[in-house]
Amino acid sequence: MVYSPRFDAFQVTERTLGGKNMYFVPRQAFNMETFHDISREDFNLKVLDCQESILNFFDQAYEYIAQHPQLENVVLAKEGQPVIKLPEEDQLIFAKGAESPSFNYFAGSRARVIELLIIILSENNKRLLNPDDSRTEDELLADVLNTQYSGQFTLTQV
């Protein structure tokens, strides 16, 4: 018999399942190698069933992040190698694209990621409701970064 106050308590005060770090990937980019690489880095992997739209991917990730307040670090990777790079400051880190930041990979604290996802999804709702707004998803994402998130992110090579 072993006595441990954590396990013998009448009330659970510390969550042991679920983890504090989450890596989101779409089902089409998932493979067992990705799972093993991510789990070795102390991250849990969440596979999302999203269609080709990156905003659908963001919507599903937002729903999960909002329902799991214990998360501390979040990575969203739409494609590519399973890499974990987190910003050192209270910023977001984006993959460096050809000319601009790429939304195929970004990471940061839960608070910063959920803040960005709320802005993106809100702007998309406005875009969909406005018949005069003819921006594409990529243009919408670029506008959000350039106008509302300028200077609040860093770029990295993934």
Side-chain angles (χ1 to χ4, degrees):
M1 306 252 337
V2 176
Y3 171 74
S4 172
R6 182 170 156 223
F7 296 117
D8 294 337
F10 290 112
Q11 179 180 358
V12 176
T13 58
E14 185 177 320
R15 184 181 176 126
T16 57
L17 297 175
K20 296 183 178 192
N21 302 315
M22 189 61 65
Y23 192 97
F24 293 92
V25 64
R27 185 161 306 280
Q28 59 266 25
F30 172 76
N31 58 44
M32 286 308 289
E33 183 180 325
T34 302
F35 173 74
H36 292 300
D37 291 346
I38 297 306
S39 62
R40 286 186 197 109
E41 297 290 331
D42 195 29
F43 269 71
N44 290 329
L45 184 69
K46 177 67 177 167
V47 179
L48 300 175
D49 290 316
C50 65
Q51 307 307 321
E52 60 279 345
S53 170
I54 195 165
L55 293 176
N56 187 358
F57 178 65
F58 290 164
D59 184 46
Q60 291 182 28
Y62 167 77
E63 290 292 329
Y64 187 90
I65 295 167
Q67 293 173 6
H68 294 85
Q70 82 277 5
L71 295 177
E72 292 177 2
N73 296 307
V74 176
V75 176
L76 282 91
K78 184 118 167 61
E79 56 190 44
Q81 299 288 46
V83 176
I84 297 175
K85 292 187 178 184
L86 296 171
E88 295 181 16
E89 300 172 9
D90 189 31
Q91 291 191 336
L92 292 174
I93 190 166
F94 282 86
K96 190 175 190 177
E99 298 176 10
S100 63
S102 170
F103 276 92
N104 287 331
Y105 178 94
F106 71 96
S109 68
R110 177 187 183 270
R112 298 298 285 182
V113 169
I114 205 165
E115 176 186 30
L116 178 62
L117 291 176
I118 288 170
I119 291 171
I120 289 171
L121 296 173
S122 297
E123 287 296 316
N124 186 49
N125 287 340
K126 291 179 196 176
R127 176 183 72 103
L128 294 173
L129 293 172
N130 185 354
D132 297 330
D133 192 346
S134 60
R135 293 180 292 176
T136 65
E137 288 182 358
D138 292 334
E139 291 170 340
L140 171 85
L141 295 172
D143 286 348
V144 167
L145 277 185
N146 292 331
T147 59
Q148 299 182 26
Y149 253 76
S150 180
Q152 297 182 31
F153 61 88
T154 57
L155 299 176
T156 187
Q157 200 68 33
V158 177

